[in-house]
Amino acid sequence: MTLEKIRFQAGTYLLEGLLTPGQTDRGVVITHPHPLYGGDMYNVVAESVADVYSRKGWTTLRFNFRGVGNSEGTYDNGNGEQEDVRAAILCLRDRGVRQIHLAGYSFGAWVSARLDGEAEGVRRMIMVSPPVSFIEFTDIPALPHLGLVVTGEHDEFAAPEQIRALLPTWNPQARFEVIPDTDHFYGGALRDLESVLGNYLNDDQG
């Protein structure tokens, strides 16, 4: 897998990203955890998500939200960050990617959920540990493109019971997986997470 450092425009800001070209017209935009708590595109969970997609031949794009690392701008409480995600999607399209997944971890899942997947051309959305116990999610509308939600059994920021209560509103058809004996950071459980994601991609025809 060839990892390329790239830069792309998001409004007035230039963002940095890590791109792995694939062998098909499928690609995924991966969004990282909270910038104010050390989240960036080098996060190990985001990297695991990218690795799973890359092994399936997909193009992957991880990037730093505005104000993170060498990305220009400043943190915008999840608002300007939506523009960053749109720009990342366009970046993949410009490279010939036609079938796009949006996979967010923690804060990145929240930002992704606030986007209209259909309007952005996203075919499927995956949320890893959406932080429903930490950030307000009750204003998130139906998510028709949501295919998979994953969290840890002991995730204090993405409590399984709270996610389960929101799923009927988001998308009752979405798959929900709880990984035993792990928390929000998937310490010692990254292989389990990768297995869940890989199995989903094997089953999903969208």
Side-chain angles (χ1 to χ4, degrees), residues 42-132:
Y42 295 101
N43 173 269
V44 293
V45 174
E47 184 176 356
S48 284
V49 174
D51 287 346
V52 172
Y53 275 93
S54 289
R55 289 195 294 267
K56 302 289 185 184
W58 293 54
T59 296
T60 72
L61 175 57
R62 287 178 277 155
F63 69 93
N64 275 336
F65 283 122
R66 57 188 58 198
V68 178
N70 291 318
S71 286
E72 296 175 349
T74 56
Y75 172 71
D76 194 30
N77 199 37
N79 296 312
E81 286 80 2
Q82 294 176 63
E83 183 178 30
D84 299 345
V85 176
R86 293 188 185 98
I89 292 168
L90 288 175
C91 179
L92 283 187
R93 283 185 182 166
D94 288 344
R95 290 172 175 264
V97 176
R98 294 294 172 259
Q99 302 182 61
I100 297 176
H101 278 201
L102 187 54
Y105 167 48
S106 194
F107 172 86
W110 175 64
V111 173
S112 297
R114 296 177 70 197
L115 290 169
D116 181 343
E118 186 171 6
E120 302 306 325
V122 172
R123 293 195 63 167
R124 196 74 75 229
M125 184 184 298
I126 292 174
M127 295 199 290
V128 178
S129 290
V132 297

Side-chain angles (χ1 to χ4, degrees), residues 2-25:
T2 303
L3 192 63
E4 301 177 10
K5 290 186 177 182
I6 67 168
R7 297 180 75 82
F8 60 94
Q9 202 74 31
T12 58
Y13 300 130
L14 197 61
L15 306 184
E16 62 174 345
L18 295 170
L19 181 104
T20 301
Q23 292 81 49
T24 71
D25 68 345

Side-chain angles (χ1 to χ4, degrees), residues 116-190:
D116 181 343
E118 186 171 6
E120 302 306 325
V122 172
R123 293 195 63 167
R124 196 74 75 229
M125 184 184 298
I126 292 174
M127 295 199 290
V128 178
S129 290
V132 297
S133 311
F134 180 68
I135 300 176
E136 184 62 60
F137 267 76
T138 55
D139 61 340
I140 300 296
L143 299 171
H145 300 280
L146 182 64
L148 173 67
V149 183
V150 188
T151 194
E153 180 184 12
H154 305 302
D155 194 322
E156 64 274 38
F157 301 108
E161 63 274 12
Q162 289 182 254
I163 293 174
R164 191 172 282 110
L166 289 168
L167 275 174
T169 299
W170 291 347
N171 187 340
Q173 304 302 316
R175 184 182 298 184
F176 182 42
E177 298 279 355
V178 179
I179 297 178
D181 302 319
T182 194
D183 60 13
H184 195 66
F185 305 102
Y186 294 89
L190 287 175

